[in-house]
Amino acid sequence: MTKSTTDSRARETADVEQRDVAFARSAPRYGRLASWIVVLVIAANFSWLVATNPNFEWHVVLQWFTEGSVLSGLKVTLGLTVVSMVLGTLLGLLLAVARLSDNRLMRGLSGLYIWFFRGTPLLVQLIFWYNMSTLFPKITLGIPFDGPIFASWNTNDLITPLTAAIAGLALNEAAYMAEIIRAGLQSVDNGQVETTQAFGMSRARALRRIIIPQAMRSIIPPTGNQLISMIKATSLVSVIAMGDLLYSVQSVYNRTFEVIPMLMVAVIWYLFITSILNVGQSFIERYYSRGVRRSVSATKRRQPPADSKTTPMVNRPLVRKEDV
């Protein structure tokens, strides 16, 4: 075989390989397609069984879904969620700051609070608050150890089902929010804290203007989960005769004995609310992560080539002069 013949065959082989690469296509993924078909068939079959099962009594669900007593219970659920979440977040912020304080007493008290309220069931806490008058018939304000009393109130006048529900939900939520906020504050680079000290900013102002805004990227996702959990946790207040959504549907099926359709009313409302909260959470997460996305994009744009010997730019601190 001559050298020219060998060279021509080598060129033809190279051309064939090049053409094969140029027109190459990924192999069909039959396994993935089959898995999609199986999942869709199972989902369609389950949906069909639920929709056509007469035991669900969907006509009863439609009848009571927007009924006045159910909507009234829904308003109570939403109100309890908002009030308890706001109070729990504010108290949790104070507990988180105390937990990170240099004061040993503040750290100890904050840790004791978190240990107790995270270590006991929420249902038990609600029942204790509701039955507070059994332990303390009167709430007094005065000097301790049998000193003079300045004011006194009947516990039953202060601890109603509403106040018991708010106290139980908010105080329990504060323990969890304290740990979430503490983790978020600790996620901020220590250089930011040192920079605020170099500018002479007070600790409170540094938290408000520099640290907390940066920590929000780490705080928002678990806080959204806690808010969704709070929506569902409000159903526990039905045991203390608080007229929330679950208590409202229970009152109906105790009269009509239509247990399953009334529970489906509550389930659909809970799913609807949590779905809206999920969408809102995603928007808030994108809002607080917009600076990170811009920073990453800018870094990629100004990143030098691999063979370049230029020194990369050093990121400037996030503390601005106007924040001081």
Side-chain angles (χ1 to χ4, degrees), residues 250-271:
Q250 285 176 335
S251 300
V252 174
Y253 71 63
N254 285 334
R255 300 193 311 265
T256 63
F257 302 102
E258 297 167 333
V259 179
I260 297 300
M262 293 310 302
L263 288 179
M264 289 303 300
V265 170
V267 167
I268 294 173
W269 271 119
Y270 282 125
L271 287 174

Side-chain angles (χ1 to χ4, degrees), residues 17-74:
E17 292 178 354
Q18 185 175 5
R19 287 197 298 271
D20 291 341
V21 172
F23 295 98
R25 295 181 180 179
S26 59
R29 301 176 179 178
Y30 296 108
R32 180 177 298 183
L33 179 61
S35 63
W36 270 99
I37 294 175
V38 171
V39 170
L40 291 176
V41 169
I42 293 175
N45 182 61
F46 178 77
S47 301
W48 173 257
L49 291 176
V50 172
T52 58
N53 191 336
N55 296 323
F56 281 99
E57 301 182 59
W58 292 111
H59 64 283
V60 178
V61 175
L62 294 175
Q63 175 186 349
W64 289 94
F65 189 71
T66 56
E67 201 272 336
S69 61
V70 174
L71 294 180
S72 177
L74 178 63

Side-chain angles (χ1 to χ4, degrees), residues 18-267:
Q18 185 175 5
R19 287 197 298 271
D20 291 341
V21 172
F23 295 98
R25 295 181 180 179
S26 59
R29 301 176 179 178
Y30 296 108
R32 180 177 298 183
L33 179 61
S35 63
W36 270 99
I37 294 175
V38 171
V39 170
L40 291 176
V41 169
I42 293 175
N45 182 61
F46 178 77
S47 301
W48 173 257
L49 291 176
V50 172
T52 58
N53 191 336
N55 296 323
F56 281 99
E57 301 182 59
W58 292 111
H59 64 283
V60 178
V61 175
L62 294 175
Q63 175 186 349
W64 289 94
F65 189 71
T66 56
E67 201 272 336
S69 61
V70 174
L71 294 180
S72 177
L74 178 63
K75 292 178 182 178
V76 172
T77 294
L78 295 177
L80 281 176
T81 301
V82 172
V83 173
S84 301
M85 197 68 194
V86 170
L87 294 178
T89 302
L90 294 177
L91 182 56
L93 176 61
L94 297 178
L95 291 170
V97 173
R99 192 79 187 274
L100 297 174
S101 173
D102 296 331
N103 190 320
R104 184 176 299 179
L105 177 62
M106 299 298 294
R107 289 201 312 270
L109 292 177
S110 176
L112 181 63
Y113 179 98
I114 294 171
W115 166 78
F116 177 80
F117 282 95
R118 287 203 309 172
T120 54
L122 175 58
L123 180 60
V124 176
Q125 296 175 28
L126 289 170
I127 294 174
F128 262 104
W129 279 105
Y130 186 65
N131 295 280
M132 185 65 67
S133 60
T134 305
L135 301 175
F136 305 102
K138 289 184 176 295
I139 298 178
T140 59
L141 179 64
I143 298 178
F145 304 108
D146 295 331
I149 297 175
F150 304 131
S152 177
W153 302 273
N154 288 326
T155 304
N156 283 329
D157 295 336
L158 297 179
I159 306 298
T160 62
L162 177 61
T163 55
I166 293 175
L169 293 173
L171 294 178
N172 181 267
E173 185 64 25
Y176 291 93
M177 286 303 303
E179 291 299 281
I180 291 174
I181 296 174
R182 181 175 69 90
L185 295 177
Q186 289 180 330
S187 68
V188 179
D189 186 9
N190 289 331
Q192 301 297 315
V193 181
E194 295 173 357
T195 305
T196 60
Q197 295 174 351
F199 274 102
M201 299 177 66
S202 64
R203 180 176 176 81
R205 190 173 187 182
L207 283 171
R208 186 178 69 254
R209 301 293 295 275
I210 305 300
I211 299 175
I212 291 180
Q214 295 183 59
M216 291 299 288
R217 290 193 298 268
S218 301
I219 293 175
I220 287 297
T223 301
N225 295 333
Q226 286 297 118
L227 179 58
I228 293 173
S229 298
M230 175 66 75
I231 286 282
K232 296 178 291 184
T234 55
S235 62
L236 296 176
V237 302
S238 61
V239 301
I240 59 174
M242 187 66 196
D244 70 314
L245 177 60
L246 182 59
Y247 185 84
S248 299
V249 300
Q250 285 176 335
S251 300
V252 174
Y253 71 63
N254 285 334
R255 300 193 311 265
T256 63
F257 302 102
E258 297 167 333
V259 179
I260 297 300
M262 293 310 302
L263 288 179
M264 289 303 300
V265 170
V267 167

